[in-house]
Amino acid sequence: MRPTHRPLARRDLLKIAGGVATAGALMGSSGCGLLGGSEQQSSGNGQVEKARLRVGALPTAELAPLYLAVEAGHFQREGLEVEIVSAPDGGAALNSAIGGDLDITFSSYVPIFAAQAKGVANLKIVSDCMSAVPNSCLIMSTPNSGVRTPQDLAGKRIAISGAGTISELLVKASMKANNVPFDKVQMVPLGFMNMPNALKTGQVDAAMVVEPFLTLAARDADAVPVLDTTSGPLEDLPLGGYVSNSQFAEQNPKTVAAFQRAMTASVAEAQDRSKIEPLLPKFAKIDKETASIITLLKLNARADATRLQRVPRLMLEFGYINKDVDVASMIVQPPQS
């Protein structure tokens, strides 16, 4: 696949999240590398109400603009010092933002809208992150699995990143779009990093894989595409963004606006692949060769209510929520310049 533009909460969000984000890949706004400690600084500096932010993230390629904003000084120019806190999954990071341990966090939109619809939290969307492009989120299988076509997926074991996630939703929606019943499919929750080996060893018949694990599955397990979950009616589907709890957004409007400006600048710079490709081995833990060939998702910054509304409507259709979500009311609009 040639790279053009990439990825992933359960019944009760707090159970889905199941824990507090683990401080792992911590980077200061100076871009000098990994930092120790996580001392909070709540005071402002004249530009913003809160100068030091703890931002939850996952070690996945689509978060490259966040890391670029650190290394390129976009946050620093806005008066922010950002500590990136690596979380085990988007649900855990979201739970930490709801509880206030993180100021802002990345998460896929499915647990975000599930929390909002179920009244678990009152969340504000600070910035969009990415949306789907063809060949970025594939259901893959191995030659000896017996799965060759979308119709072969009926009744099979399919690895997903977790129950109630965007991964599961994409599998169901894409199977329905191809007239393949998914009610008898065994969804196997499995971390993305474990999927290539699970395919290779026959632990599952197929897997919903995202980059860089999509490329790794093809390389290490001879996996081949069966169904593109982000094409046709699901193309350009918003997949994830940055959120805070409403209290943080309301109390720190200048801080949120500064974060938005920094991310807008970073996403614009990230459209040049050469700006982010060198960062991928550092935080996504992939080798340079893989970083050079993976398919990147469409990177976004400004949240658009019309586009994002597609996600809760899809969730409503498949029973993830029992009422629609007013996405426009969740978006923190950047100040008019």
Side-chain angles (χ1 to χ4, degrees), residues 102-123:
L102 295 173
D103 301 305
I104 295 171
T105 191
F106 167 82
S107 178
S108 74
Y109 282 124
V110 168
I112 289 171
F113 293 135
Q116 194 77 7
K118 297 173 183 178
V120 173
N122 186 7
L123 297 169

Side-chain angles (χ1 to χ4, degrees), residues 29-31 45 47 69-82 262:
S29 62
S30 63
N45 56 13
Q47 288 180 263
V70 169
E71 296 226 350
H74 294 302
F75 287 128
Q76 189 175 37
R77 282 187 286 276
E78 295 292 343
L80 298 175
E81 180 185 354
V82 168

Side-chain angles (χ1 to χ4, degrees), residues 6-275:
R6 185 193 170 290
L8 311 96
R10 294 152 231 207
R11 270 166 283 215
D12 178 325
L13 179 67
L14 298 179
K15 293 180 181 178
I16 295 169
V20 178
T22 302
L26 307 181
M27 300 180 69
S29 62
S30 63
C32 59
L34 301 182
L35 300 178
S38 58
E39 181 181 351
Q40 295 267 16
Q41 176 180 322
S42 58
S43 60
N45 56 13
Q47 288 180 263
V48 296
E49 300 89 357
K50 186 172 185 180
R52 185 176 183 183
L53 299 182
R54 287 166 54 82
V55 178
L58 305 180
T60 51
E62 68 269 15
L63 268 66
L66 177 66
Y67 290 85
L68 178 63
V70 169
E71 296 226 350
H74 294 302
F75 287 128
Q76 189 175 37
R77 282 187 286 276
E78 295 292 343
L80 298 175
E81 180 185 354
V82 168
E83 176 185 345
I84 299 179
V85 183
S86 182
D89 56 60
L94 184 59
N95 191 37
S96 293
I98 291 171
D101 185 58
L102 295 173
D103 301 305
I104 295 171
T105 191
F106 167 82
S107 178
S108 74
Y109 282 124
V110 168
I112 289 171
F113 293 135
Q116 194 77 7
K118 297 173 183 178
V120 173
N122 186 7
L123 297 169
K124 293 297 181 181
I125 300 171
V126 173
S127 175
D128 194 14
C129 181
M130 77 289 191
S131 57
V133 298
N135 296 320
S136 61
C137 306
L138 301 177
I139 298 178
M140 302 184 77
S141 67
T142 54
N144 60 358
S145 67
V147 176
R148 300 285 187 277
T149 69
Q151 287 66 35
D152 294 332
L153 292 168
K156 295 298 192 298
R157 300 166 299 165
I158 303 177
I160 58 173
S161 62
T165 61
I166 190 73
S167 174
E168 182 184 53
L169 182 59
L170 286 173
V171 169
K172 291 181 176 180
S174 59
M175 289 182 68
K176 181 179 179 180
N178 283 270
N179 299 312
V180 181
F182 55 82
D183 55 322
K184 299 293 179 61
V185 165
Q186 181 184 346
M187 301 287 185
V188 181
L190 199 64
F192 283 125
M193 67 178 61
N194 298 318
M195 290 184 186
N197 188 61
L199 286 170
K200 185 176 182 178
T201 59
Q203 181 181 344
V204 294
D205 302 304
M208 212 301 288
V209 191
V210 297
E211 292 286 22
F213 310 105
L214 186 159
T215 296
L216 295 176
R219 186 190 71 184
D220 300 337
D222 295 324
V224 295
V226 174
L227 179 58
D228 187 345
T229 68
T230 51
S231 63
L234 298 175
E235 185 171 350
D236 199 33
L237 184 75
L239 298 180
Y242 295 93
V243 298
S244 71
N245 63 42
S246 61
Q247 183 179 14
F248 177 84
E250 291 163 3
Q251 293 179 352
N252 301 279
K254 293 181 180 178
T255 302
V256 170
F259 182 89
Q260 291 173 324
R261 288 192 297 270
M263 289 303 299
T264 296
S266 187
V267 167
E269 187 175 354
Q271 302 308 311
D272 179 354
R273 186 181 176 115
S274 68
K275 299 291 186 180

